[in-house]
Amino acid sequence: MAEDGQKFLGRLRLGVNIDHVATIRNARGGIHPDPLRAAKIAADAGADGITAHLREDRRHISDEDIDRLVDEIDLPLNLEMAATDEMLEIALRHKPHACCIVPEKREERTTEGGLDVAAQHNHLAKYVGSLGDAGVRVSLFIEANPVQVAVAKALGAEVVEFHTGTYTDAHHAGDVALRDRELAKLVAAGRIAHEQGLEVHYGHGLTFDTVGPVAAIREAMELNIGHFLIGEAIFTGLDAAIRRMRELMDEARA
Ligand code: PXP
């Protein structure tokens, strides 16, 4: 639950990440299940945006998926991308509502940590600047750390998304002390980012069991959730999974 007297800064949006629909499709190399169909179901279930990560190795979402999402989905598209010239060219061609710049390593299973914007300031400046100049909202996916927040602000990003993976992993491992420490960091970083004029998002690894305390963070404006929803869809359907997530977010802010 929210702290007493806490006033939220706005309605918390839910961005549904559909990458892993494409993961299942690609396991057989065909056309089913179609991420575009998932995006349409997400829209009908109340998602506020669609998130898709076009990875350099195209292990899930393809270039054609991005073309079709841009052409056929009315919800805002949040394109997750590495800071590379190839991805910049694709982003500038499509001009999605937002681009979230994420770290990418070919050998990783998923985005394992936040972008070290402090160490990569000079490399990132061109990407943040070019996307911003093209009218694309730029989000930087970072760890909940005041130094990273300050550099994200200095780079000219409009949004920071805090990586919630350590918090969710600690929860699922039963390490309550670590979970609570990580949650406290996510809360504190949200406050600092908001004070600096950044919009605050959170994402990675969120589930029905872990979403509540993150949704209750006063400064949170958007959560991006994918893997759990697509997994849960196997058992209950995607529509029901998204509606339940939305309910839990709303309960946390009630
Ligand atoms: N936000 C960002 C920036 C991500 O890279 C990811 C994973 O692609 C997510 C949110 C969603 O994470 P998950 O699929 O674990 O819910």
Side-chain angles (χ1 to χ4, degrees):
M1 295 292 290
E3 290 161 28
D4 274 354
Q6 193 180 44
K7 287 213 177 63
F8 295 111
L9 301 172
R11 182 177 176 276
L12 181 63
R13 297 188 302 269
L14 171 60
V16 173
N17 181 317
I18 54 167
D19 291 350
H20 297 298
V21 178
T23 302
I24 298 170
R25 175 196 60 196
N26 296 357
R28 286 290 174 93
I31 58 168
H32 183 78
D34 182 3
L36 192 80
R37 184 171 167 200
K40 288 182 177 160
I41 291 171
D44 290 344
D48 300 287
I50 299 298
T51 294
H53 184 177
L54 185 66
R55 292 188 78 106
E56 291 181 270
D57 62 9
R58 309 300 197 270
R59 70 175 71 159
H60 37 57
I61 292 293
S62 68
D63 297 70
E64 192 192 344
D65 291 330
I66 298 295
D67 294 344
R68 294 170 69 225
L69 287 168
V70 169
D71 289 347
E72 296 180 47
I73 298 295
D74 292 331
L75 288 180
L77 175 66
N78 173 32
L79 175 66
E80 294 179 358
M81 55 176 264
T84 65
D85 289 349
E86 182 201 15
M87 290 299 149
L88 180 63
E89 185 274 314
I90 293 168
L92 291 177
R93 184 150 37 86
H94 288 300
K95 295 201 180 64
H97 168 75
C99 281
C100 181
I101 303 183
V102 301
E104 214 174 283
K105 291 191 224 114
R106 261 169 210 270
E107 63 279 12
E108 71 189 352
R109 243 189 280 169
T110 179
T111 312
E112 282 164 3
L115 194 62
D116 188 351
V117 293
Q120 293 185 55
H121 176 281
N122 294 347
H123 173 70
L124 291 170
K126 169 176 110 177
Y127 300 95
V128 177
S130 304
L131 291 166
D133 289 348
V136 177
R137 300 193 87 198
V138 180
S139 170
L140 296 173
F141 189 42
I142 59 174
E143 296 294 328
N145 170 318
V147 174
Q148 300 292 341
V149 172
V151 178
K153 175 69 186 171
L155 276 164
E158 281 185 66
V159 179
V160 281
E161 180 165 330
F162 292 113
H163 195 300
T164 49
T166 311
Y167 156 75
T168 56
D169 286 350
H171 175 87
H172 295 296
D175 188 340
V176 175
L178 178 61
R179 180 198 66 192
D180 292 351
R181 273 203 309 279
E182 287 300 315
L183 182 62
K185 279 194 219 164
L186 293 166
V187 171
R191 301 240 149 114
I192 293 167
H194 175 68
E195 279 162 18
Q196 297 194 16
L198 291 157
E199 187 172 300
V200 177
H201 300 179
Y202 293 92
H204 203 90
L206 291 168
T207 62
F208 291 159
D209 290 343
T210 53
V211 76
V214 178
I217 297 174
R218 191 176 78 113
E219 289 76 12
M221 295 297 289
E222 182 171 307
L223 306 184
N224 283 299
I225 309 180
H227 183 267
F228 176 81
L229 287 173
I230 305 308
E232 194 62 13
I234 294 168
F235 305 110
T236 66
L238 186 55
D239 180 272
I242 293 170
R243 286 180 196 275
R244 179 71 188 137
M245 191 62 85
R246 180 74 252 176
E247 254 172 34
L248 291 166
M249 289 164 57
D250 291 342
E251 279 170 20
R253 285 167 91 91

